[in-house]
Amino acid sequence: MKKTNYSYIGIAFIILVFGIIFIPKIIDRISNKDIIRNESRSDFANDKKSTASDLAFIEINGDPKKVPAFSFTNQEGKTITNKDYEGKVYVVEFFFTTCPTICPRMNANLIQIQNTFKDFNDFGVASFTINPDYDTPEILKSYANKYGVTNPNWHLMTGNKETIYKLSNEGFNLYSAEEEDAAGGFEHSGNFALIDKNGYIRSRKDNFGNPIIYYRGIVSEVEQVDEEGVKEEISALKEDIRKLLNE
């Protein structure tokens, strides 16, 4: 009987020594990032402790990419510049009102996002038409009314075609082009860019820590992106908007 008691005492002593010697070392390794937890996008989205600091800055030559200066005319005939978005979190898209393919779905998703953040005065949307020859302020206003645009910080903008295409392809790297063979006569990215209050492009990261950069604007609220159960794009975008609003 005494021998059994000594065995229990020995096991307890070993556990105590392990706790004293090894656990602090494990904690130290985690603190110094020697041990890294592999996170998927869905892990990231479901992490209640994740904050805006988890979102990447898009960098060019080591510098965080900021929205270029711009000045266009919105659906109310007012001049809108990048300064009108200072202090606001906003989503950027390039579209055109006669688009027969992806634009209706993109803007239906943006309406959902608008309604989610209807009580936030520091949230907005910047929609740039890639067919400014047709999309006048009057046309844009009719389009906005049709879709239910109510956010005063949602500006549908038109202006010089060359300047808009430069902003799209170089400023945001969101592809836009005139193409006779394309539906509606134009090709463009169906992606959204997310901008923080200081005018920097932000995004979440992939499994390797690289920025994903953009959000797929044509994915519906209930559609999955891939077969791994990854968080679908619009819900992910909403979560990241909320993080930036709280930054």
Side-chain angles (χ1 to χ4, degrees), residues 14-212:
I14 291 170
I15 292 172
L16 177 62
V17 171
F18 180 87
I20 293 172
I21 296 175
F22 294 102
I23 290 179
K25 291 184 178 180
I26 293 171
I27 292 173
D28 184 63
R29 286 188 67 199
I30 293 173
S31 298
N32 288 289
K33 298 183 180 179
D34 292 328
I35 297 175
I36 301 174
R37 181 163 63 94
N38 185 25
E39 293 181 317
S40 68
R41 289 184 69 171
S42 55
D43 290 334
F44 182 99
N46 292 325
D47 183 358
K48 299 300 183 181
K49 295 182 180 179
S50 61
T51 64
S53 62
D54 297 310
L55 299 180
F57 287 87
I58 311 307
E59 295 186 354
I60 303 295
N61 296 324
D63 296 320
K65 185 172 178 60
K66 200 164 189 177
V67 172
F70 62 80
S71 178
F72 297 106
T73 304
N74 76 352
Q75 69 269 33
E76 301 294 339
K78 297 179 180 179
T79 299
I80 301 297
T81 74
N82 55 296
K83 292 187 178 297
D84 289 291
Y85 287 96
E86 289 181 353
K88 297 178 178 64
V89 175
Y90 63 105
V91 178
V92 170
E93 70 158 345
F94 289 85
F95 82 112
F96 60 108
T97 62
T98 56
C99 173
T101 54
I102 63 175
C103 295
R105 196 168 182 181
M106 291 169 63
N107 283 292
N109 283 333
L110 284 174
I111 289 294
Q112 289 185 23
I113 294 170
Q114 166 196 260
N115 295 339
T116 297
F117 298 99
K118 64 182 187 306
D119 297 324
F120 290 82
N121 296 325
D122 52 354
F123 173 71
V125 179
S127 298
F128 302 94
T129 177
I130 60 173
N131 186 14
D133 292 340
Y134 176 81
D135 288 338
T136 62
E138 294 76 19
I139 294 292
L140 292 175
K141 186 170 184 177
S142 176
Y143 188 87
N145 291 337
K146 173 185 175 182
Y147 275 86
V149 173
T150 57
N151 185 330
N153 299 318
W154 186 341
H155 302 288
L156 289 76
M157 290 172 274
T158 188
N160 178 269
K161 181 186 293 185
E162 185 177 325
T163 304
I164 291 174
Y165 277 71
K166 184 175 181 179
L167 180 67
S168 175
N169 293 308
E170 299 179 20
F172 288 100
N173 299 110
L174 288 169
Y175 174 71
S176 296
E178 289 189 83
E179 178 55 60
E180 291 183 2
D181 296 331
F186 299 87
E187 291 182 333
H188 65 104
S189 166
N191 293 335
F192 297 145
L194 177 60
I195 317 301
D196 69 16
K197 292 180 181 180
N198 296 311
Y200 292 101
I201 303 174
R202 303 286 290 275
S203 80
R204 56 179 59 194
K205 306 169 187 176
D206 64 16
N207 294 338
F208 303 99
N210 300 313
I212 294 172

